[in-house]
Amino acid sequence: MARADYEVVIGLEVHCQLATATKMFSGCAYSIGDEPNTQIDAYTLGLPGTLPVPNRAAVEHALRLALAVGCEIPPLSRWARKHYFYPDLPKGYQITQADQPYALGGAIEIPDHDQPDDPLATRRVPLLRIHMEEDAGKNTHAGEYSLIDYNRAGAPLVEIVSLPALRSAAEAADYVRELRTIVRYLGISAANMEQGTLRCDANVSLRPVGATALGTRCEIKNLNSFKFIEAAINAEIRRQVDLLDAGEAVIQSTMSYDPGRDQTKVMRTKEAAADYRYFPEPDMPPLSIDAAWIAAAKASLPALPWARRRALVQLGLSAYDAGVLTADHELADYFDAALAACNDPSLAKVVCNWVTGELLKLLKTDHAEGLDDGDNTGGRLAGCPVSPAALAELIGHVEAGTISGRAAKQVLAKIFAEPGQSPAQIIERDGYRQVSDQAAITQMVREIVNAHPQQLEQLLAGKAKVRGFFVGQVMRVSKGQANPQVVQQALEAVLEQLAKTQEP
Ligand code: ADP
Ligand code: MG
């Protein structure tokens, strides 16, 4: 069968590390990027006699995520031990949630490319569940020896498990992108794939088009960039198509992706799968999340990406612009604040162009180092030397004709170089004020026209191109400060007068 005869079915398991001051089950401090093995306590090391206590802030974060994506929250959920032996797991088991997770159902909305007429159309990818657990430490294999860092051991995680409802590698990447945006809007995680605060395992299977039963799945582990999510899933689809076409069966396996070869390879098959010996965690009672807690968490939810996109489109922005502005909630907040400060909703497109164009460009050059996959606009905006109000002021000067658009770009760049200066201060100090004074410009035009009789003759003889020469001369003489529109009008008027006086 050809590739087109198979339907692709994908389900994702995404781990997201929650941004809390302390770990999931102990008061041990945790933050990313610290010296290895400096954020450990007796519990982290699994010393005898230590007991787990759930971190309220982590549960709160997890709860807000579940509510944001429409999960149902059972009144009680249970902790479970998942046993395995590995150097990064000092206790010998991980505390997770097995058959009674804290959140069931829900969905992530992804762009629906089947409806090209409606760029805001979405497709709901239903979730199976979300559960909380603790992270393991981190091994670094350095040739002959391995290094281990226990800082991450015990860090709080949520695992978001989708139903097998994604249909392509591109949809899978869209799903993870939406999920990342949501958790960042909620402020519950840095959700950075490079740093491992967002990690993805992809389950892939094929079935003949039209079949209802699911095919045998393989699970690709540890996909740590959007590029690899797509590439690995596509590689796995190719592998399975080849197997099925050769009359062989897909064997349920755990796969790894080799970017160098652009291939997935089998790590272990189901027969060799670990038996984790799950059992209920005896050191903690069930977790109770009551109606009052749910109501309070619900009330704390911010407007989420799709709602903000739709609101921006209602302001008259294109779906594309709305998508760019809402990719980071900080950027969307900045835009909203700048537009509000403009006091004129009809300026939405103008403000959007300034924010997504000039401002982002300056922010990028300002922070040229340490960029992750181009996705951390929010972090860069945090140190932006131009406040939304200052940008609105600048736009106001352009709209009022006080300065030209070109001058405004220079003024913006200067505020970046000299934070604290207001647009008005720089416009006055550096002489950006545009001359719109009709009389003054007309006088300039007359002088230039008189000084260039030859060009004037050409123009009056119908050589329209020479018009540009005169406008250019006025701009030069005015040091770029003449309002080009007024110059055009003045030139028109002067020429008309001349034509009249030359008539017999
Ligand atoms: P496990 O915990 O053993 O990995 P789950 O039933 O929790 O198994 O499923 C894990 C993930 O695999 C889920 O995201 C689910 O949607 C996905 N999945 C299950 N069956 C298939 C399949 N046949 N094809 C693709 N994905 C699947
Ligand atoms: Mg799994």
Side-chain angles (χ1 to χ4, degrees), residues 385-431:
V386 180
S387 68
L391 184 68
E393 185 198 327
L394 188 66
I395 291 170
H397 289 306
V398 179
E399 290 298 308
T402 319
I403 56 172
S404 69
R406 229 185 62 197
K409 287 183 185 175
Q410 293 172 19
V411 173
L412 195 67
K414 285 195 176 174
I415 304 178
F416 263 78
E418 305 165 68
Q421 295 285 322
S422 75
Q425 283 168 323
I426 292 183
I427 290 168
E428 291 313 324
R429 186 195 70 187
D430 297 352

Side-chain angles (χ1 to χ4, degrees), residues 26 44 126 191 199 204 241 289 315 328-329 399 436 462 466 488:
S26 85
T44 302
R199 312 197 281 266
V204 180
V241 169
I289 299 179
L315 280 174
D328 281 289
H329 69 97
E399 290 298 308
S436 298
V466 186
Q488 291 279 7

Side-chain angles (χ1 to χ4, degrees), residues 401-404 406-407 410 426-437 441 444 471-487:
T402 319
I403 56 172
S404 69
R406 229 185 62 197
Q410 293 172 19
I426 292 183
I427 290 168
E428 291 313 324
R429 186 195 70 187
D430 297 352
Y432 282 114
R433 186 172 278 282
Q434 178 165 261
V435 180
S436 298
D437 178 342
I441 289 180
M444 255 186 252
V471 175
Q473 287 300 310
V474 179
M475 294 313 282
R476 194 180 60 83
V477 170
S478 72
K479 298 200 186 78
Q481 286 175 30
N483 181 335
Q485 251 175 322
V486 180
V487 174

Side-chain angles (χ1 to χ4, degrees), residues 13 159 201 203 217 219 221:
E13 295 164 273
E159 178 174 348
D201 302 334
N203 296 269
R217 70 176 155 125
E219 179 177 2
K221 284 284 184 195

Side-chain angles (χ1 to χ4, degrees), residues 55-170:
N55 176 343
R56 190 179 171 95
V59 176
E60 177 97 24
H61 283 1
L63 178 60
R64 292 175 73 238
L65 171 61
L67 294 171
V69 298
C71 294
E72 185 201 318
I73 313 295
L76 281 186
S77 63
R78 279 176 210 281
W79 305 106
R81 289 187 181 180
K82 176 182 178 178
H83 297 84
Y84 61 96
F85 176 78
Y86 206 64
D88 63 14
L89 190 72
K91 293 202 305 292
Y93 60 86
Q94 174 195 29
I95 301 181
T96 177
Q97 296 189 303
D99 40 14
Q100 284 182 265
Y102 83 99
L104 296 167
I108 305 282
E109 288 183 66
I110 60 171
D112 185 354
H113 301 295
D114 289 349
Q115 296 188 54
D117 293 344
D118 179 3
L120 283 182
T122 58
R123 206 168 85 69
R124 286 167 58 81
V125 181
L127 304 181
L128 180 64
R129 59 189 280 168
I130 309 180
H131 58 261
M132 286 176 263
E133 58 189 25
E134 54 180 346
D135 210 341
K138 198 172 158 63
N139 294 308
T140 306
H141 302 295
E144 290 187 353
Y145 55 91
S146 291
L147 298 167
I148 183 147
D149 174 9
Y150 287 120
N151 285 356
R152 201 181 68 180
L157 294 180
V158 277
E159 178 174 348
I160 302 105
V161 184
S162 83
L163 285 179
L166 292 153
R167 303 172 301 189
S168 68

